[in-house]
């Protein structure tokens, strides 16, 4: 967490806290080359040894400037199209309402399961209050996982959060049928601490996310990072990124040594990501037309030997 101005490259805590060394694994990728996002045409079915994972900020919390991005029904329709067109088995979802997530899983079929974690507003006295979704019966606002098979070992990863303000977070789980572990992260915005707007929490949050991923080589992690890629001379937040994200791991839309990628926001900015050590075989940015975010879909080859994957903590 940076407690000073953003021109400093590293936070004090990162310089002294991080001790783990992770072996670098470089993988090749076959990504679609189009520079504009596709409609929901998807990736199609992969091979028996491949699985597709998606991340999508659904913009389902209407009071957060999402009232014109589609109804819950329209968002579910786009969710189903995304799943069908790209053969997606696991989704990392942000800004979703708890009851919308439950009803989506129920509508998709009995094999679909979900896990959910609510956002919380924390006041100066440390009191936590959930964020309710507007609209009758939609539950609380938060982030979650949706999978076409059982989710196990669901855990919330501890990480730094604003002292006063909105708490987002990191949620991980295993998908045994796919031999995968997935982690969904929704990072804090800059200046998100009402008492200390100069503090930046994204460096510590990314460090916590990478540390969680490092315990299992079969992990896919990503989500809405509220941060552009670490490129460009004018990017004052490039310092928040652990080096491992683009070396030990590779991003869905990463080609060679490039750390850029196609835009995932409607304004053309990239702030949504998927990372893994597993071989990537395809990557697609999909315009769902029911959010201010586009979905990002990555196809990977499953781990060959799940028994050999480390789960030490």
């Amino acid at each position: 967490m940076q407690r000073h101005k953003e021109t400093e490259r590293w936070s004090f805590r990162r310089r002294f806290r991080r001790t783990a060394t992770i072996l670098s694994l470089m993988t090749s990728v076959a990504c679609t080359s189009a520079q504009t996002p596709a409609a929901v045409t998807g990736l199609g079915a992969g091979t028996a040894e491949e699985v597709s994972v998606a991340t999508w900020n659904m913009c389902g919390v209407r009071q957060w400037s999402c009232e014109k991005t589609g109804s819950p029904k329209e968002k579910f329709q786009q969710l189903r199209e995304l799943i069908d067109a790209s053969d997606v088995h696991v989704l990392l979802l942000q800004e979703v309402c708890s009851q919308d997530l439950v009803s989506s899983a129920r509508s998709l079929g009995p094999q679909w399961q979900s896990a959910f974690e609510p956002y919380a507003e924390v006041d100066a006295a440390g009191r936590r209050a959930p964020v309710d979704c507007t609209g009758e019966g939609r539950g609380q606002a938060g982030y979650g996982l949706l999978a076409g098979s059982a989710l196990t070992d669901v855990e919330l990863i501890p990480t730094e959060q604003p002292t006063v303000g909105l708490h987002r977070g990191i949620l991980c789980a295993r998908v045994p049928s796919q031999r995968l572990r997935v982690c969904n992260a929704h990072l804090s915005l800059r200046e998100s601490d009402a008492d200390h707007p100069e503090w930046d929490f994204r460096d510590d949050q990314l460090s916590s996310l990478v540390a969680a991923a490092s315990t299992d080589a079969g992990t896919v992690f990503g989500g809405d990072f509220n941060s552009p890629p670490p490129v460009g001379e004018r990017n004052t937040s490039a310092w928040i990124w652990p080096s491992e994200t683009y070396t030990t791991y590779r991003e869905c839309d990463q080609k060679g040594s490039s750390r850029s990628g196609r835009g995932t926001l409607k304004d053309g900015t990239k702030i949504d990501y998927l990372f893994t050590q597993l071989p990537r075989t395809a990557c697609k940015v999909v315009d769902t037309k029911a959010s201010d975010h586009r979905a990002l879909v990555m196809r990977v080859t499953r781990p060959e030997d799940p028994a050999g994957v480390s789960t030490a903590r």
Side-chain angles (χ1 to χ4, degrees), residues 45-292:
T47 69
E49 291 305 311
E50 294 175 326
V51 59
S52 294
V53 179
T55 182
W56 184 30
N57 183 318
M58 297 183 70
C59 201
V61 188
R62 297 182 67 81
Q63 66 267 33
W64 290 353
S65 302
C66 293
E67 64 278 359
K68 296 181 180 180
T69 62
S71 66
K73 181 178 179 180
E74 290 170 324
K75 291 179 186 295
F76 172 73
Q77 290 172 340
Q78 292 296 304
L79 188 68
R80 183 186 287 277
E81 286 187 37
L82 179 65
I83 292 168
D84 292 344
S86 296
D87 195 28
V88 173
H89 190 89
V90 188
L91 297 105
L92 285 53
L93 302 174
Q94 307 86 40
E95 294 187 26
V96 62
C97 298
S98 57
Q99 292 307 304
D100 291 348
L101 182 60
V102 169
S103 63
S104 293
R106 185 181 301 119
S107 297
L108 288 167
Q111 74 276 23
W112 284 84
Q113 292 194 8
S114 64
F116 177 83
E117 184 66 24
Y119 301 124
E121 284 283 358
V122 178
D123 65 18
R127 292 183 293 259
R128 297 174 61 88
V131 178
D132 292 327
C133 285
T134 57
E136 185 177 355
R138 299 188 63 210
Q140 298 175 342
Y143 54 103
L145 300 166
L146 183 63
S149 61
L151 289 165
T152 66
D153 300 324
V154 178
E155 60 177 331
L156 184 65
I157 304 300
T159 188
E160 295 282 352
Q161 294 290 334
T163 57
V164 179
L166 183 67
H167 284 205
R168 296 172 174 88
I170 303 168
L171 186 66
C172 296
R174 296 190 185 279
V175 190
S177 71
Q178 304 299 318
R179 308 196 293 271
L180 291 181
R181 181 167 176 260
V182 293
C183 292
N184 179 17
H186 196 180
L187 304 190
S188 296
L189 290 162
R190 290 176 53 192
E191 303 179 353
S192 59
D193 192 317
D195 272 6
H196 304 281
E198 73 278 13
W199 291 2
D200 198 330
F201 297 85
R202 294 173 298 168
D203 62 323
D204 283 312
Q205 292 170 355
L206 281 171
S207 294
S208 296
L209 178 59
V210 170
S214 71
T215 65
D216 191 327
T219 298
V220 174
F221 65 94
D224 179 355
F225 290 0
N226 279 316
S227 310
V231 295
E233 294 181 357
R234 296 184 180 181
N235 183 356
T236 60
S237 63
W239 64 272
I240 70 173
W241 288 87
S243 61
E244 300 97 309
T245 48
Y246 287 90
T247 54
T248 300
Y249 305 95
R250 306 286 280 176
E251 207 272 325
C252 175
D253 219 12
Q254 183 179 356
K255 299 177 183 178
S257 61
S258 172
R259 299 185 177 189
S260 60
R262 290 163 289 181
T264 58
L265 274 179
K266 289 294 181 68
D267 66 3
T269 305
K270 179 177 176 62
I271 65 171
D272 302 275
Y273 301 84
L274 287 170
F275 288 90
T276 191
Q277 292 187 62
L278 299 170
R280 300 162 298 153
T281 59
C283 179
K284 196 173 187 69
V285 181
V286 181
D287 190 351
T288 63
K289 299 180 171 37
S291 172
D292 58 347

